[in-house]
Amino acid sequence: MSPAAPHGRVIALHLAVVALLFAGEFVLPAYHHGVMARIMVLAVFAMGYNLLFGYTGLLSLGHAMFFAAGMYGAGLTAYHLGWSVAAAFPAGIVAGAAVSAGIALLALRTTGVAFMIVTMMFAQVGYLLTLYFGNWTRGEEGLTLAPAARLLGPFDFTDPATRYFAALALFAVVLFLTLAVVRAPFGRVLVAIRENEERTRMLGYDTFANKLAATVLSGTICASAGAAYALLFGYFGSTFATVAYSILPLLWVLVGGAATTLGPFLGTLAMYYLVDISNDVLNRHFPNWDMSYLGTVGVALVLLVLFFPKGLLGTLRQRWMAWLP
Amino acid sequence: MAFGPHLLLAALEGLVQAAVLALTALGLSLVFGVMRVVNVAHGEFFMLGAVLAWGVTTAVSGHPALGFAAALVVAPLAIGAVALLSERLVLRRLDYNPEATIVATIGLLYILQQAALTFYGPEARPVVPPFNIRLQLPWFGYSAYKLSVIGASAVVLAATWFVLARTRIGLVMRATQYDRETATAFGIPVERVYAGVFALGAMLAAVAAVLIVPISQAHYLMGADPLLLSFIVVIIGGLGSLRGTVVAALLIGLSDGIVSVFFSPTLAKIIATLAVALVLVFRPQGLFGQAAR
């Protein structure tokens, strides 16, 4: 990322992506239309993860906890307390911010591998808590929100088009938010911490405070994705708190390119369809192989880390387009 | 049953858990200690050990003990080979970069799970224990096999300790753990040591799995719990410390056994996991380990 990156070209590129997705509403066939709404929400999750993993260089295996905090914060208040979307969505975001602040204060005392293990353990505690309070959460089975709980004024999220635009709105807001953050001085400090934390501290930056802010921002963005997922698709359960949902955003970010603003979306898109198509093809040709997402995700992770550590956009930026943010 | 015998039963169950856990965790601890990488796929080596034990015992006809003995030999060797292969093909190419290794072993975890699902199937299958004797205690009968698991684990642990502390191989391993650069300068083939340690760690997990599979069952998703518990044990015990690993395994296994008899297992797991995360946060060298050099 060169400091003199052409501002106009970057903004235009991001606007073009949003415009393309807007056009998707009118041209995509029904199946892909539904998939794309889901991908946009999951891409928000990945963008939140990218802020911490890609830009700050902290490998967390606990982001399912933040996603689930938003999901349950919004879902449970809507389900049990009958809160409207206008109240439940902020509730999810607040829950995510609170959880990520608490976890960050503890986990950031560790570094490197210990940080990964600690975040994974806290997330495991979060997952077990959703099982333990099964009376309210229904555990793995999960809860389904009634259509009446998914209304926001004139907007009805059970309607595919409304849902698509709501997902796009959240996606666009978070996309431009991350773009602003990584181009702001704060974002540069995060990159400096990733590259050399000691030196950044020597230069007079409070690295702990910056890492704390990055973790809370990242966790809160992930929580907004979780809250949106619960309210838009009307379902939430313990599955979303398992370690698999901490690994998936890592995979999406790695595929798309860590520390690129559009990488998380591209990675989510690519992996969703790769798993979808490879499952179809393999199950058609080898019906008794029981192919699930496991094999595809596993092979993708190993190949990526071996041959393609910078991901799609990271490689593109390195080779041809140094101005990509 | 009165409280005393109930507690004894819980303690025995806990000891069996602790014995198997000590072996599994020791494998993880060795890999972390010597190679400084976290093997997230460690639990899947455990799972593969159990699945292979099922495969071997089913293939061998005759007395169950015969098949079990065969499994005890074949499964660890096969798992060791799988580990060696993944070390050569993946970890070495990453130059043991800690974060890249985590990502790669997560991938390996999924690949091994998929392989087990494809070739073994989604069912949980039992393995017949090599012998079926009940020891009649004054209050309740107890499986002699479970007691022999504790004995067998103790033997393997002692053998590992002997190799580490008293043989040339162990000396080379400890030298590599202490200082990789100097070890290289003294002509120690560090890469071969790494490959050997990675295979040894996986084999310990496989032995543990073969021992426990007649008590639990073989299932393709069974690797998650041993992985997490091993992390817990290794952290509490201090990384790379054999004595600490054994003590911590006893502590965790016993308390897990006893607490889950009297309280909800989920609550027990929540408390244990939270406690360990806090240990890692506030005392990163573990309860028994020494502060980092």
Side-chain angles (χ1 to χ4, degrees):
Chain A
M1 194 165 31
S2 69
H7 193 65
R9 208 190 304 179
V10 169
I11 301 283
L13 175 70
H14 288 70
L15 282 176
V17 169
V18 172
L20 216 62
L21 285 169
F22 184 83
E25 158 67 19
F26 307 102
V27 294
L28 283 176
Y31 172 74
H32 297 285
H33 180 266
V35 165
M36 193 54 84
R38 213 165 282 253
I39 287 177
M40 284 190 287
V41 173
L42 294 175
V44 170
F45 185 17
M47 285 191 276
Y49 187 83
N50 186 31
L51 208 56
L52 197 64
F53 170 69
Y55 288 99
T56 322
L58 289 170
L59 174 57
S60 147
L61 281 185
H63 266 53
M65 168 173 50
F66 305 141
F67 187 74
M71 186 168 239
Y72 279 105
L76 289 179
T77 49
Y79 187 88
H80 288 294
L81 306 177
W83 287 16
S84 69
V85 170
F89 185 67
I93 292 182
V94 169
V99 169
S100 52
I103 297 298
L105 281 174
L106 289 169
L108 284 174
R109 295 171 59 105
T110 63
T111 52
V113 168
F115 181 77
M116 170 225 121
I117 297 179
V118 166
T119 47
M120 187 170 104
M121 289 194 153
F122 281 129
Q124 183 70 14
V125 170
Y127 165 66
L128 290 171
L129 282 174
T130 64
L131 295 184
Y132 188 69
F133 293 105
N135 283 343
W136 288 284
T137 64
R138 289 257 148 264
E140 302 273 2
E141 196 185 307
L143 291 167
T144 312
L145 288 177
R150 293 159 65 194
L151 293 173
L152 177 65
F155 302 113
D156 177 3
F157 293 137
T158 52
D159 168 53
T162 316
R163 192 157 61 198
Y164 188 93
F165 284 129
L168 178 59
L170 178 69
F171 173 80
V173 166
V174 173
L175 180 66
F176 281 99
L177 177 72
T178 47
L179 182 63
V181 165
V182 303
R183 290 168 74 88
F186 171 55
R188 310 250 175 221
V189 175
L190 296 186
V191 172
I193 290 175
R194 178 189 74 198
E195 293 302 323
N196 192 334
E197 187 169 347
E198 281 303 310
R199 186 177 293 177
T200 314
R201 204 195 337 264
M202 293 269 285
L203 287 171
Y205 291 100
D206 184 345
T207 53
F208 184 84
N210 278 289
K211 287 198 291 185
L212 181 65
T215 314
V216 173
L217 186 59
S218 159
T220 309
I221 291 176
C222 294
S224 75
Y229 199 99
L231 296 170
L232 291 183
F233 303 105
Y235 168 80
F236 56 105
S238 295
T239 321
F240 293 103
T242 54
V243 69
Y245 273 83
S246 294
I247 294 171
L248 283 173
L250 169 67
L251 172 69
W252 296 329
V253 168
L254 281 173
V255 171
T260 60
T261 46
L262 286 167
F265 168 67
L266 212 60
T268 314
L269 183 72
M271 276 319 293
Y272 200 102
Y273 275 104
L274 183 64
V275 169
D276 209 38
I277 294 169
S278 73
N279 274 3
D280 266 10
V281 171
L282 289 171
N283 280 328
R284 199 173 318 131
H285 290 281
F286 310 97
N288 46 6
W289 271 24
D290 270 328
M291 284 307 293
S292 72
Y293 75 98
L294 294 168
T296 316
V297 169
V299 171
L301 276 172
V302 171
L303 290 181
L304 269 173
V305 78
L306 276 179
F307 303 111
F308 228 13
K310 288 188 189 301
L312 295 171
L313 284 185
T315 310
L316 204 63
R317 174 163 72 193
Q318 193 182 24
R319 297 265 171 85
W320 298 288
M321 297 161 80
W323 54 272
L324 268 182
Chain B
M1 211 186 312
F3 179 74
H6 205 149
L7 190 66
L8 177 66
L9 181 64
L12 280 173
E13 290 292 312
L15 263 183
V16 176
Q17 293 301 324
V20 175
L21 186 54
L23 284 182
T24 318
L26 182 60
L28 192 71
S29 174
L30 271 179
V31 169
F32 192 97
V34 176
M35 301 167 69
R36 304 273 157 202
V37 296
V38 173
N39 176 16
V40 185
H42 194 64
E44 305 318 309
F45 291 138
F46 181 92
M47 177 275 289
L48 279 187
V51 166
L52 270 184
W54 177 85
V56 173
T57 48
T58 329
V60 175
S61 52
H63 194 272
L66 217 62
F68 188 78
L72 211 44
V73 176
V74 172
L77 285 178
I79 308 299
V82 171
L84 212 55
L85 200 68
S86 38
E87 199 273 347
R88 277 283 154 98
L89 291 180
V90 181
L91 265 60
R92 180 170 301 184
R93 284 159 176 260
L94 297 173
D95 203 23
Y96 311 104
N97 174 303
E99 301 211 329
T101 305
I102 289 173
V103 176
T105 50
I106 291 173
L108 193 59
L109 173 160
Y110 281 146
I111 293 173
L112 294 179
Q113 275 186 4
Q114 178 69 63
L117 182 62
T118 300
F119 297 108
Y120 171 79
E123 306 89 4
R125 294 175 198 177
V127 169
V128 185
F131 49 87
N132 222 335
I133 306 168
R134 278 186 90 70
L135 287 179
Q136 196 54 49
L137 298 178
W139 315 278
F140 52 84
Y142 200 70
S143 150
Y145 177 72
K146 287 189 179 177
L147 292 178
S148 74
V149 167
I150 302 175
S153 294
V155 170
V156 177
L157 284 175
T160 313
W161 171 82
F162 182 81
V163 169
L164 281 177
R166 291 280 184 271
T167 65
R168 204 183 143 67
I169 298 173
L171 184 68
V172 165
M173 274 165 59
R174 280 181 293 137
T176 312
Q177 169 169 7
Y178 194 72
D179 189 336
R180 177 184 175 176
E181 305 268 308
T182 315
T184 314
F186 274 80
I188 290 175
V190 169
E191 289 207 327
R192 270 169 59 197
V193 175
Y194 278 13
V197 166
F198 198 71
L200 181 64
M203 287 166 81
L204 282 170
V207 172
V210 176
L211 287 175
I212 199 71
V213 77
I215 299 171
S216 60
Q217 288 185 331
H219 185 248
Y220 82 105
L221 288 177
M222 72 190 291
D225 269 0
L227 177 70
L228 207 71
L229 283 172
S230 298
F231 270 147
I232 293 179
V233 164
V234 168
I235 290 163
I236 297 270
L239 291 163
S241 148
L242 194 147
R243 189 171 51 105
T245 303
V246 174
V247 174
L250 279 174
L251 197 74
I252 298 291
L254 273 177
S255 53
D256 194 56
I258 292 171
V259 172
S260 15
V261 166
F262 294 105
F263 301 99
S264 138
T266 313
L267 187 62
K269 265 192 215 161
I270 292 177
I271 294 170
T273 315
L274 203 57
V276 168
L278 293 176
V279 165
L280 191 53
V281 168
F282 291 105
R283 208 183 140 77
Q285 69 272 36
L287 292 181
F288 304 98
Q290 271 127 38
R293 283 183 296 129

